[in-house]
Protein backbone atom coordinates (compact mmCIF):
# COMPACT_ATOMS: atom_id res chain seq x y z
CA UNK A 1 0.00 0.00 0.00
CA UNK A 2 1.21 3.50 -0.83
CA UNK A 3 2.63 5.41 2.16
CA UNK A 4 0.28 8.33 1.54
CA UNK A 5 -2.74 6.01 1.61
CA UNK A 6 -1.50 4.39 4.83
CA UNK A 7 -1.36 7.79 6.51
CA UNK A 8 -4.64 9.09 5.10
CA UNK A 9 -6.10 9.80 8.55
CA UNK A 10 -3.17 12.12 9.31
CA UNK A 11 -3.90 14.42 6.39
CA UNK A 12 -4.92 17.93 7.32
CA UNK A 13 -5.05 21.37 5.77
CA UNK A 14 -5.27 25.06 6.62
CA UNK A 15 -8.00 27.61 6.08
CA UNK A 16 -5.83 29.41 3.53
CA UNK A 17 -5.24 26.19 1.56
CA UNK A 18 -8.92 25.24 1.77
CA UNK A 19 -9.98 28.56 0.28
CA UNK A 20 -7.29 28.27 -2.40
CA UNK A 21 -8.51 24.81 -3.40
CA UNK A 22 -12.14 25.95 -3.60
CA UNK A 23 -11.11 28.81 -5.87
CA UNK A 24 -8.80 26.72 -8.09
CA UNK A 25 -11.25 23.86 -8.59
CA UNK A 26 -14.51 25.77 -8.36
CA UNK A 27 -15.46 23.39 -5.56
CA UNK A 28 -18.86 23.75 -3.91
CA UNK A 29 -18.17 21.10 -1.27
CA UNK A 30 -17.43 22.74 2.11
CA UNK A 31 -15.56 19.71 3.42
CA UNK A 32 -12.44 20.11 1.28
CA UNK A 33 -10.37 17.72 3.39
CA UNK A 34 -12.78 14.81 2.86
CA UNK A 35 -13.03 15.64 -0.83
CA UNK A 36 -9.24 15.43 -1.12
CA UNK A 37 -9.19 12.09 0.72
CA UNK A 38 -11.81 10.67 -1.63
CA UNK A 39 -9.76 11.72 -4.65
CA UNK A 40 -6.58 10.20 -3.21
CA UNK A 41 -8.30 6.87 -2.52
CA UNK A 42 -9.67 6.42 -6.04
CA UNK A 43 -8.21 3.38 -7.80
CA UNK A 44 -7.24 5.38 -10.90
CA UNK A 45 -5.46 8.15 -8.98
CA UNK A 46 -1.75 8.33 -9.79
CA UNK A 47 0.21 8.99 -6.58
CA UNK A 48 3.91 9.84 -6.53
CA UNK A 49 6.45 11.82 -4.53
CA UNK A 50 8.64 14.52 -6.06
CA UNK A 51 10.98 16.67 -4.03
CA UNK A 52 9.30 17.67 -0.76
CA UNK A 53 5.75 16.89 -1.83
CA UNK A 54 3.32 14.09 -2.56
CA UNK A 55 1.14 14.48 -5.67
CA UNK A 56 -2.18 12.78 -6.34
CA UNK A 57 -3.31 13.11 -9.97
CA UNK A 58 -6.51 12.15 -11.75
CA UNK A 59 -7.80 13.07 -15.19
CA UNK A 60 -9.37 16.18 -13.63
CA UNK A 61 -7.23 17.43 -10.73
CA UNK A 62 -3.83 17.26 -9.05
CA UNK A 63 -3.53 17.58 -5.26
CA UNK A 64 -0.25 18.65 -3.61
CA UNK A 65 0.59 17.42 -0.09
CA UNK A 66 3.64 18.29 2.00
CA UNK A 67 5.44 14.99 2.50
CA UNK A 68 6.95 15.76 5.92
CA UNK A 69 3.86 16.95 7.79
CA UNK A 70 1.08 15.67 5.47
CA UNK A 71 -0.50 19.10 5.03
CA UNK A 72 -2.63 19.46 1.91
CA UNK A 73 -1.14 22.56 0.29
CA UNK A 74 -3.26 23.04 -2.79
CA UNK A 75 -5.22 21.42 -5.62
CA UNK A 76 -5.69 22.56 -9.18
CA UNK A 77 -7.27 21.41 -12.38
CA UNK A 78 -5.06 18.93 -14.18
CA UNK A 79 -3.36 19.97 -17.39
CA UNK A 80 -2.94 16.90 -19.55
CA UNK A 81 0.45 15.58 -20.50
CA UNK A 82 1.22 17.12 -23.89
CA UNK A 83 4.04 14.76 -24.86
CA UNK A 84 5.40 11.28 -24.27
CA UNK A 85 9.06 10.87 -23.37
CA UNK A 86 11.55 8.08 -23.98
CA UNK A 87 10.86 6.47 -20.60
CA UNK A 88 7.13 6.43 -21.36
CA UNK A 89 7.90 4.73 -24.66
CA UNK A 90 10.19 2.04 -23.26
CA UNK A 91 7.86 1.37 -20.31
CA UNK A 92 4.90 0.81 -22.65
CA UNK A 93 6.93 -1.45 -24.95
CA UNK A 94 8.11 -3.50 -21.96
CA UNK A 95 4.54 -3.74 -20.71
CA UNK A 96 3.44 -5.27 -24.02
CA UNK A 97 6.44 -7.58 -24.37
CA UNK A 98 6.04 -8.90 -20.82
CA UNK A 99 2.42 -9.77 -21.58
CA UNK A 100 2.91 -11.45 -24.94
CA UNK A 101 1.57 -8.62 -27.12
CA UNK A 102 3.19 -8.64 -30.56
CA UNK A 103 3.57 -5.10 -31.86
CA UNK A 104 5.36 -2.80 -34.30
CA UNK A 105 6.26 0.76 -33.35
CA UNK A 106 5.01 3.31 -35.89
CA UNK A 107 4.65 7.09 -36.19
CA UNK A 108 7.14 9.67 -34.96
CA UNK A 109 8.67 7.50 -32.27
CA UNK A 110 9.11 4.79 -34.90
CA UNK A 111 11.17 7.22 -36.99
CA UNK A 112 13.28 8.31 -34.03
CA UNK A 113 14.24 4.79 -32.99
CA UNK A 114 15.26 4.06 -36.59
CA UNK A 115 17.40 7.19 -36.45
CA UNK A 116 18.89 6.16 -33.10
CA UNK A 117 17.80 8.97 -30.79
CA UNK A 118 14.88 11.25 -29.97
CA UNK A 119 14.90 14.27 -32.27
CA UNK A 120 11.56 15.96 -31.56
CA UNK A 121 8.62 16.01 -29.17
CA UNK A 122 5.99 13.29 -29.56
CA UNK A 123 2.38 13.66 -28.44
CA UNK A 124 1.66 9.92 -28.49
CA UNK A 125 3.03 6.44 -29.06
CA UNK A 126 1.78 4.82 -32.29
CA UNK A 127 1.47 1.04 -32.13
CA UNK A 128 0.46 -1.47 -34.81
CA UNK A 129 -0.77 -4.83 -33.51
CA UNK A 130 -2.53 -7.95 -34.76
CA UNK A 131 -6.28 -7.36 -34.66
CA UNK A 132 -6.78 -10.58 -32.67
CA UNK A 133 -4.87 -9.00 -29.77
CA UNK A 134 -6.71 -5.68 -29.56
CA UNK A 135 -8.97 -6.79 -26.71
CA UNK A 136 -6.06 -8.18 -24.71
CA UNK A 137 -4.06 -4.96 -25.17
CA UNK A 138 -6.97 -2.71 -24.17
CA UNK A 139 -7.52 -4.71 -20.97
CA UNK A 140 -3.78 -4.60 -20.21
CA UNK A 141 -3.64 -0.84 -20.67
CA UNK A 142 -6.75 -0.35 -18.54
CA UNK A 143 -5.06 -2.25 -15.70
CA UNK A 144 -2.19 0.24 -15.97
CA UNK A 145 -4.43 3.28 -15.70
CA UNK A 146 -5.27 3.97 -19.34
CA UNK A 147 -8.71 5.20 -20.34
CA UNK A 148 -10.24 5.33 -23.80
CA UNK A 149 -10.24 8.78 -25.39
CA UNK A 150 -11.40 8.01 -28.95
CA UNK A 151 -12.71 4.61 -30.01
CA UNK A 152 -12.73 4.51 -33.80
CA UNK A 153 -12.28 0.76 -34.14
CA UNK A 154 -11.67 -1.08 -36.36
CA UNK A 155 -9.54 1.82 -37.66
CA UNK A 156 -7.85 2.89 -34.40
CA UNK A 157 -8.33 3.50 -30.71
CA UNK A 158 -6.64 6.23 -28.68
CA UNK A 159 -6.11 5.83 -24.95
CA UNK A 160 -4.64 8.11 -22.28
CA UNK A 161 -2.74 7.53 -19.05
CA UNK A 162 -1.71 10.10 -16.46
CA UNK A 163 1.61 8.34 -16.11
CA UNK A 164 2.43 7.46 -19.72
CA UNK A 165 0.43 9.91 -21.85
CA UNK A 166 -1.33 9.01 -25.11
CA UNK A 167 -1.12 5.78 -27.09
CA UNK A 168 -2.66 5.36 -30.55
CA UNK A 169 -3.34 1.73 -31.47
CA UNK A 170 -3.88 0.49 -35.02
CA UNK A 171 -5.16 -3.12 -35.38
CA UNK A 172 -3.99 -5.00 -38.48
CA UNK A 173 -5.36 -8.09 -40.21
CA UNK A 174 -2.50 -10.22 -41.51
CA UNK A 175 -2.55 -12.31 -44.68
CA UNK A 176 -0.85 -15.67 -45.29
CA UNK A 177 2.08 -13.98 -47.08
CA UNK A 178 2.93 -11.71 -44.14
CA UNK A 179 1.31 -8.60 -45.59
CA UNK A 180 -1.45 -6.87 -43.65
CA UNK A 181 -4.54 -4.74 -44.06
CA UNK A 182 -5.50 -1.77 -41.94
CA UNK A 183 -9.09 -0.51 -41.94
CA UNK A 184 -9.55 3.00 -43.32
CA UNK A 185 -12.16 5.54 -42.17
CA UNK A 186 -14.02 5.33 -45.50
CA UNK A 187 -14.81 1.65 -44.99
CA UNK A 188 -12.01 0.31 -47.15
CA UNK A 189 -8.52 -0.68 -46.12
CA UNK A 190 -4.85 0.09 -46.62
CA UNK A 191 -2.47 -2.65 -47.73
CA UNK A 192 0.86 -2.94 -45.89
CA UNK A 193 3.63 -4.97 -47.50
CA UNK A 194 5.25 -7.79 -45.52
CA UNK A 195 8.68 -6.19 -45.87
CA UNK A 196 7.44 -3.09 -44.05
CA UNK A 197 7.41 -5.04 -40.78
CA UNK A 198 10.94 -4.80 -39.42
CA UNK A 199 12.99 -4.26 -36.28
CA UNK A 200 15.87 -2.06 -35.19
CA UNK A 201 18.40 -1.81 -32.39
CA UNK A 202 17.78 1.10 -30.06
CA UNK A 203 19.87 1.58 -26.91
CA UNK A 204 20.94 -2.10 -26.95
CA UNK A 205 17.33 -3.22 -27.30
CA UNK A 206 15.70 -4.83 -30.32
CA UNK A 207 12.41 -3.05 -31.08
CA UNK A 208 9.89 -4.25 -33.70
CA UNK A 209 8.96 -1.33 -35.94
CA UNK A 210 7.81 -0.21 -39.35
CA UNK A 211 10.78 -0.15 -41.74
CA UNK A 212 12.33 2.91 -43.36
CA UNK A 213 10.55 2.22 -46.66
CA UNK A 214 7.31 1.63 -44.81
CA UNK A 215 7.64 4.94 -42.96
CA UNK A 216 8.38 6.78 -46.22
CA UNK A 217 5.28 5.20 -47.75
CA UNK A 218 3.14 6.17 -44.74
CA UNK A 219 4.46 9.75 -44.97
CA UNK A 220 2.98 10.26 -48.43
CA UNK A 221 -0.40 10.91 -50.00
CA UNK A 222 -1.46 13.78 -47.75
CA UNK A 223 -0.53 17.40 -46.97
CA UNK A 224 2.66 17.26 -44.93
CA UNK A 225 2.91 19.04 -41.59
CA UNK A 226 6.22 20.39 -40.28
CA UNK A 227 6.74 17.31 -38.11
CA UNK A 228 6.11 15.06 -41.14
CA UNK A 229 8.74 16.96 -43.14
CA UNK A 230 11.13 16.54 -40.21
CA UNK A 231 10.50 12.78 -40.12
CA UNK A 232 11.02 12.42 -43.88
CA UNK A 233 14.30 14.35 -43.61
CA UNK A 234 15.49 11.89 -40.95
CA UNK A 235 14.41 8.86 -42.96
CA UNK A 236 16.30 10.09 -46.01
CA UNK A 237 19.37 10.73 -43.87
CA UNK A 238 19.19 7.13 -42.64
CA UNK A 239 19.02 5.88 -46.23
CA UNK A 240 22.07 7.97 -47.21
CA UNK A 241 23.95 6.82 -44.12
CA UNK A 242 23.29 3.16 -44.88
CA UNK A 243 24.46 3.62 -48.47
CA UNK A 244 27.75 5.10 -47.27
CA UNK A 245 28.31 2.20 -44.86
CA UNK A 246 27.87 -0.45 -47.54
Amino acid sequence: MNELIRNLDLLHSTELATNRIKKNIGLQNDNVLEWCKEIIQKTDTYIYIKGKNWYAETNEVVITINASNLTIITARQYKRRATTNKKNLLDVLSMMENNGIKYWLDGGWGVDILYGRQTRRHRDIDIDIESEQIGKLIRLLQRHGYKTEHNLLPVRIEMYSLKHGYIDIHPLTFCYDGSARQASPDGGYYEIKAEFFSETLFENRVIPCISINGQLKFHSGYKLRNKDKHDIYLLRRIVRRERILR
Side-chain angles (χ1 to χ4, degrees), residues 4-20:
L4 183 62
I5 298 293
R6 286 199 304 268
N7 293 301
L8 201 65
D9 292 338
L10 300 179
L11 290 182
H12 58 282
S13 191
T14 64
E15 183 178 355
L16 180 63
T18 295
N19 291 334
R20 184 189 303 124

Side-chain angles (χ1 to χ4, degrees), residues 123-235:
R123 175 184 178 272
D124 57 12
I125 299 167
D126 290 282
I127 296 293
D128 299 330
I129 68 163
E130 297 173 332
S131 57
E132 293 85 356
Q133 291 194 306
I134 186 67
K136 180 179 179 181
L137 178 55
I138 289 173
R139 291 189 295 273
L140 172 66
L141 293 172
Q142 287 172 338
R143 291 199 301 271
H144 284 81
Y146 279 88
K147 292 187 176 180
T148 300
E149 289 286 304
H150 302 288
N151 187 345
L152 301 175
L153 291 174
V155 178
R156 55 183 282 266
I157 182 170
E158 183 181 66
M159 303 182 73
Y160 177 78
S161 157
L162 291 168
K163 184 176 182 181
H164 299 296
Y166 287 95
I167 183 170
D168 199 357
I169 307 162
H170 307 266
L172 308 177
T173 301
F174 280 83
C175 305
Y176 69 93
D177 61 355
S179 64
R181 291 179 174 181
Q182 179 184 353
S184 65
D186 62 8
Y189 58 84
Y190 306 109
E191 292 190 355
I192 304 174
K193 295 180 180 180
E195 56 263 34
F196 286 174
F197 297 98
S198 183
E199 62 183 23
T200 192
L201 189 65
F202 180 76
E203 297 193 354
N204 298 315
R205 174 175 178 169
V206 177
I207 297 179
C209 63
I210 297 300
S211 70
I212 298 168
N213 288 335
Q215 285 278 8
L216 286 169
K217 175 68 175 177
F218 296 167
H219 282 77
S220 64
Y222 62 94
K223 185 176 181 180
L224 298 176
R225 300 158 294 182
N226 288 336
K227 66 178 183 179
D228 299 317
K229 295 176 182 178
H230 171 85
D231 291 347
I232 291 172
Y233 169 75
L234 292 184
L235 292 165

Side-chain angles (χ1 to χ4, degrees), residues 90 92-103 140 205-208:
L90 297 179
V92 169
L93 299 186
S94 294
M95 185 193 309
M96 292 189 291
E97 291 170 5
N98 294 339
N99 287 273
I101 302 288
K102 190 173 183 180
Y103 70 87
L140 172 66
R205 174 175 178 169
V206 177
I207 297 179

Side-chain angles (χ1 to χ4, degrees), residues 69-104:
N69 58 26
L70 297 178
T71 301
I72 297 174
I73 302 170
T74 189
R76 57 178 173 78
Q77 293 183 337
Y78 182 77
K79 185 177 181 181
R80 291 206 163 193
R81 176 190 292 272
T83 60
T84 54
N85 57 41
K86 184 174 69 174
K87 184 178 186 305
N88 299 145
L89 171 69
L90 297 179
D91 285 349
V92 169
L93 299 186
S94 294
M95 185 193 309
M96 292 189 291
E97 291 170 5
N98 294 339
N99 287 273
I101 302 288
K102 190 173 183 180
Y103 70 87
W104 292 267

Side-chain angles (χ1 to χ4, degrees), residues 84-87 89 105-114 117-126 202 215 231:
T84 54
N85 57 41
K86 184 174 69 174
K87 184 178 186 305
L89 171 69
L105 184 62
D106 201 349
W109 270 118
V111 173
D112 270 357
I113 66 154
L114 286 168
R117 63 178 176 85
Q118 183 176 357
T119 64
R120 67 172 177 86
R121 298 172 65 188
H122 300 283
R123 175 184 178 272
D124 57 12
I125 299 167
D126 290 282
F202 180 76
Q215 285 278 8
D231 291 347

